[in-house]
Amino acid sequence: MGETRHNWTKEDILAIYNKPLMELLYEAATVHRQHHDPNTVQVSTLLSIKTGGCPEDCGYCPQAARYHTAIEGNDLMSVQQVKAQALRAKSSGSSRVCMGAAWRNVKDGPEFDQVLEMVRTINKLDMEVCCTLGMLTENQARRLAEAGLYAYNHNLDSSEDYYKEVISTRGFEDRLKTIDNVRKTNVTVCSGGIIGMGEKVEDRAGMLVALSTLNPQPESVPINALVAVKGTPLEDQEPVSIWEMVRMVATTRIVMPETQVRLSAGRTQMTREGQAMCFFAGANSIFAGDKLLTTPNPDVNEDMEMFNELGLNPQKPFLKHVHPQTVEAEDSQYQALGENPRWSRPEHTIERNEVAKQKAKTTK
Ligand code: SF4
């Protein structure tokens, strides 16, 4: 096993991505076997703890309040509701729960305190807890770490260049800043992106450069295929082909050998054969549950049937990193600071986002 490389260039990554497929698959599967058990795949459950009404303008997202989509918004779930769902997920083979809230950034206050309690509760169920709550200060990252958070998800989505074509309400450097804040703690980093948003292959490579040159590299990288939702600016995008997905997974595996590569949104558009090829190419996690935040996902039973067919075993929790200790709220060293950080608002104009917003105004 060689040392992990942190100096990948776009040219290096494009050369890998564009290899003849059989060669690419062989190389990726070889790297995968050197670093992971090829018959083990982690099952994670994504819970939308606060859905819809988001002030951001991410072009792919049905939860952005400015677009007209069929999403029903919900207030923050209770700790008891989250606990019940986590127990259900655990009994069907999940070892990780990722809680997502449609927030621009975390704000200190009762809602964040409630999320911290959810983290404590799930960590005590011996499951890996991940959160995706938007931008985060260092103090907030430390409070999550103290509660027992295992991972924080904050996707880069695409290359720095193409990011500007998808989101105008925050900058790429804001994403990196939050990842950096998480890195100041023992919480692991989960960061990946979406293909099929109209980006070029160069942008996919650009995103992998941004992720693979982080030191350390993210412990987890979700690769999503866009699920084009009606009412969003990207509603008319054609689905990506399975070959693009396999190439993306294989390239991610080669440039980030230790990382958990996660097959995320878009699995309902993939056949079982296609998913098997992704596992061969180095994907070692899936998301379970009938919904991925708001978009459809295969049924848990179907996934278990697929695992049986392929001889795959669900990964146990805390296999790759230690189980964090939970510090109770009353013993906390880090109190709410009531910060009001200045995250950037580039507010450049993205034409298709503006069109979707105008359309929503006339249909709402
Ligand atoms: S992806 Fe997240 S930040 Fe962007 S609109 Fe959706 S919920 Fe908001």
Side-chain angles (χ1 to χ4, degrees):
M1 263 188 263
E3 290 226 330
T4 301
R5 248 184 85 174
H6 294 278
N7 61 352
W8 293 99
T9 65
K10 205 196 266 189
E11 291 67 36
D12 295 334
I13 293 179
L14 280 172
I16 297 172
Y17 185 97
N18 289 319
K19 276 185 186 209
L21 189 72
M22 297 310 140
E23 233 169 88
L24 175 61
L25 277 176
Y26 182 74
E27 188 177 332
T30 307
V31 171
H32 188 49
R33 276 155 191 272
Q34 285 165 352
H35 297 268
H36 306 269
D37 172 356
N39 300 316
T40 299
V41 169
Q42 184 170 42
V43 183
S44 306
T45 293
L46 193 48
L47 275 184
S48 185
I49 57 170
K50 193 268 165 197
T51 309
C54 183
E56 303 288 84
D57 79 334
C58 308
Y60 50 81
C61 184
Q63 303 199 64
R66 64 189 72 202
Y67 308 135
H68 184 66
T69 62
I71 294 306
E72 248 183 66
N74 282 317
D75 292 340
L76 188 62
M77 278 167 74
S78 70
V79 177
Q80 281 318 311
Q81 279 171 316
V82 166
K83 184 176 181 184
Q85 299 234 25
L87 282 170
R88 217 175 58 171
K90 189 177 181 182
S91 68
S92 52
S94 275
S95 59
R96 180 165 172 131
V97 172
C98 180
M99 299 188 283
W103 290 335
R104 170 171 165 81
N105 60 290
V106 170
K107 295 195 178 98
D108 293 331
E111 290 205 320
F112 185 43
D113 293 343
Q114 196 165 317
V115 173
L116 291 169
E117 201 46 43
M118 293 173 191
V119 172
R120 291 188 193 97
T121 305
I122 301 177
N123 191 42
K124 287 181 206 157
L125 299 178
D126 287 337
M127 298 182 84
E128 296 175 11
V129 198
C130 175
C131 280
T132 183
L133 312 169
M135 296 177 288
L136 201 65
T137 65
E138 183 183 335
N139 183 63
Q140 290 162 342
R142 293 202 182 280
R143 294 182 74 203
L144 283 163
E146 242 194 356
L149 190 74
Y150 184 85
Y152 194 77
N153 165 269
H154 204 59
N155 289 336
L156 292 185
D157 290 338
S158 192
S159 67
E160 184 167 5
D161 282 348
Y162 200 69
Y163 196 82
K164 299 188 189 84
E165 304 296 322
V166 181
I167 298 146
S168 74
T169 49
R170 52 168 196 262
F172 196 76
E173 65 288 352
D174 296 315
R175 304 304 273 179
L176 294 172
K177 178 75 190 136
T178 289
I179 291 174
D180 195 46
N181 286 337
V182 175
R183 272 290 174 231
K184 291 176 182 151
T185 71
N186 285 332
V187 174
T188 60
V189 169
C190 173
S191 183
I194 308 173
I195 64 170
M197 299 192 292
E199 75 289 343
K200 297 196 192 81
V201 169
E202 284 72 14
D203 294 306
R204 296 177 190 169
M207 179 184 89
L208 292 181
V209 170
L211 293 170
S212 64
T213 53
L214 292 172
N215 193 1
Q217 294 178 338
E219 287 79 1
S220 159
V221 172
I223 303 292
N224 297 275
L226 178 75
V227 177
V229 178
K230 196 164 173 347
T232 62
L234 297 178
E235 64 181 1
D236 293 326
Q237 288 295 321
E238 292 294 322
V240 290
S241 76
I242 186 64
W243 309 118
E244 291 172 276
M245 195 65 187
V246 169
R247 283 185 182 280
M248 191 65 188
V249 167
T251 310
T252 307
R253 166 53 64 231
I254 293 168
V255 301
M256 290 180 269
E258 310 269 359
T259 293
Q260 291 277 123
V261 178
R262 301 182 188 277
L263 278 190
S264 307
R267 269 202 313 126
T268 44
Q269 295 155 7
M270 291 163 67
T271 62
R272 243 177 227 185
E273 294 86 336
Q275 293 180 64
M277 219 179 326
C278 289
F279 297 134
F280 186 70
N284 55 353
S285 169
I286 58 165
F287 281 99
D290 56 355
K291 283 252 169 78
L292 265 196
L293 293 180
T294 57
T295 54
N297 198 45
D299 186 77
V300 180
N301 295 332
E302 275 176 46
D303 282 336
M304 284 307 112
E305 221 180 86
M306 173 175 73
F307 272 44
N308 285 337
E309 252 171 13
L310 303 180
L312 296 173
N313 304 306
Q315 183 181 304
K316 301 218 163 24
F318 312 111
L319 194 73
K320 310 265 162 141
H321 298 277
V322 287
H323 187 166
Q325 293 291 310
T326 284
V327 174
E328 298 303 334
E330 55 275 20
D331 302 324
S332 171
Q333 284 188 50
Y334 299 99
Q335 302 306 323
L337 299 178
E339 300 162 290
N340 198 4
R342 288 197 164 273
W343 303 102
S344 81
R345 277 208 183 266
E347 300 284 14
H348 54 276
T349 307
I350 302 173
E351 205 189 318
R352 61 189 173 195
N353 289 13
E354 292 306 308
V355 171
K357 189 168 136 188
Q358 287 312 322
K359 247 203 226 165
K361 276 191 186 152
T362 54
T363 39
K364 265 177 188 166

